């Protein structure tokens, strides 16, 4: 099966981020789904302003190039105040501009997230899907990935310590692989 190289965007810059822990688990499991997941960091990005569209900051240019080079993008998002964290929205705005250079256009994407609450980032993911739709990124519709993080699911090093969680994450990654394959093979 074709191995795809997917970019990984983690929507939290917190040092003890539970979404970074989830992302580490996905990176470890990805080869079993014929995927390589490589983080595209958002922490170095300056705040987006169209004042800089004429001379894009180097960090923004590097971020956009990494998205464009990837076969697809996996976004692991927390839910902050029933939406995506500001740092993630800043990254998406950065990727979308300057006008006419939207790095997400046509790029297959998949979203997943973990929260401490029972709804497992469902509201944030709906907001994220809305943004990705506007950015013309074909999104993985199903399965949805809403994780309530609790002790005993995923260790700090990304080892999944719960069998049903591992089974779900692997099936989700396989769906991501199929989604990328279908998106890239579409001919017009
Ligand atoms: C939260 N948290 C949270 N959880 C949730 O399920 N729905 C929400 O709307 C919010 N809102 C919220 C706002 C802010 C500013 C913070 C810091 C936290 C709790 C959140 O799920 C928890 O802090 C996670 O650990 C956040 O993910 P990361 O940053 O650790 O990956």
């Amino acid at each position: 099966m074709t191995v795809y190289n997917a970019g990984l965007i983690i929507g939290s810059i917190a040092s003890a981020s539970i979404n970074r822990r989830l992302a580490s688990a996905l990176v470890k499991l990805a080869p079993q789904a014929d995927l390589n997941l490589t983080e595209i960091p958002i922490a170095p990005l300056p705040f987006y302003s169209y004042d800089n569209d004429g001379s894009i900051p180097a960090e923004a240019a590097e971020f956009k190039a990494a998205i464009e080079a990837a076969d697809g993008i996996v976004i692991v998002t927390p839910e902050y105040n029933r939406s995506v964290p500001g740092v993630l929205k800043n990254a998406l705005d950065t990727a979308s501009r300057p006008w006419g250079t939207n790095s997400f256009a046509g790029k297959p994407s998949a979203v997943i997230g973990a929260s401490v609450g029972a709804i497992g980032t469902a509201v944030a993911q709906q907001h994220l899907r809305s943004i990705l739709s506007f950015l013309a990124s074909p999104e993985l519709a199903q399965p949805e990935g809403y994780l309530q993080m609790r002790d005993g699911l995923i260790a700090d090093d990304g080892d999944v310590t719960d069998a049903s969680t591992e089974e779900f994450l692997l099936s989700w990654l396989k769906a991501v692989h199929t989604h990328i394959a279908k998106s890239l093979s579409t001919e017009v």
Side-chain angles (χ1 to χ4, degrees):
M1 209 168 334
T2 307
V3 175
Y4 293 115
N5 294 311
L8 172 67
I9 294 176
I10 303 169
S12 174
I13 59 171
S15 53
S17 165
I18 60 174
N19 284 279
R20 178 163 294 281
R21 203 178 339 148
L22 169 58
S24 299
L26 293 172
V27 169
K28 284 191 172 182
L29 292 171
Q32 293 181 55
D34 294 304
L35 286 172
N36 286 322
L37 281 183
T38 305
E39 183 177 3
I40 307 176
I42 65 170
L45 293 172
F47 288 137
Y48 173 76
S49 166
Y50 57 78
D51 290 351
N52 300 322
D53 278 358
S55 177
I56 307 173
E59 298 89 343
E62 197 178 327
F63 182 69
K64 284 172 67 64
I67 292 170
E68 289 160 23
D71 293 321
I73 301 293
V74 168
I75 303 179
V76 185
T77 187
E79 180 169 294
Y80 284 6
N81 299 317
R82 294 285 182 262
S83 189
V84 295
V87 287
L88 177 56
K89 182 61 163 57
N90 181 59
L92 297 169
D93 290 344
T94 299
S96 73
R97 293 292 170 127
W99 177 253
T101 72
N102 168 20
S103 304
F104 273 99
K107 188 69 61 182
S109 62
V111 301
I112 192 168
S115 77
V116 296
I119 61 168
T121 73
V123 182
Q125 287 192 44
Q126 289 308 309
H127 286 194
L128 181 52
R129 285 176 182 276
S130 176
I131 296 164
L132 290 167
S133 293
F134 184 71
L135 296 184
S137 170
E139 300 157 53
L140 173 67
Q142 294 287 347
E144 298 169 299
Y146 306 133
L147 264 82
Q148 182 176 19
M149 191 64 85
R150 45 182 176 76
D151 289 347
L153 287 194
I154 302 173
D156 287 345
D157 63 1
D159 278 347
V160 184
T161 45
D162 174 76
S164 66
T165 301
E166 182 171 53
E167 189 183 344
F168 169 73
L169 293 178
L170 192 50
S171 67
W172 187 82
L173 286 164
K174 287 178 178 171
V176 173
H177 184 279
T178 302
H179 174 60
I180 292 174
K182 283 184 180 166
S183 298
L184 296 184
S185 68
T186 301
E187 292 184 17
V188 287

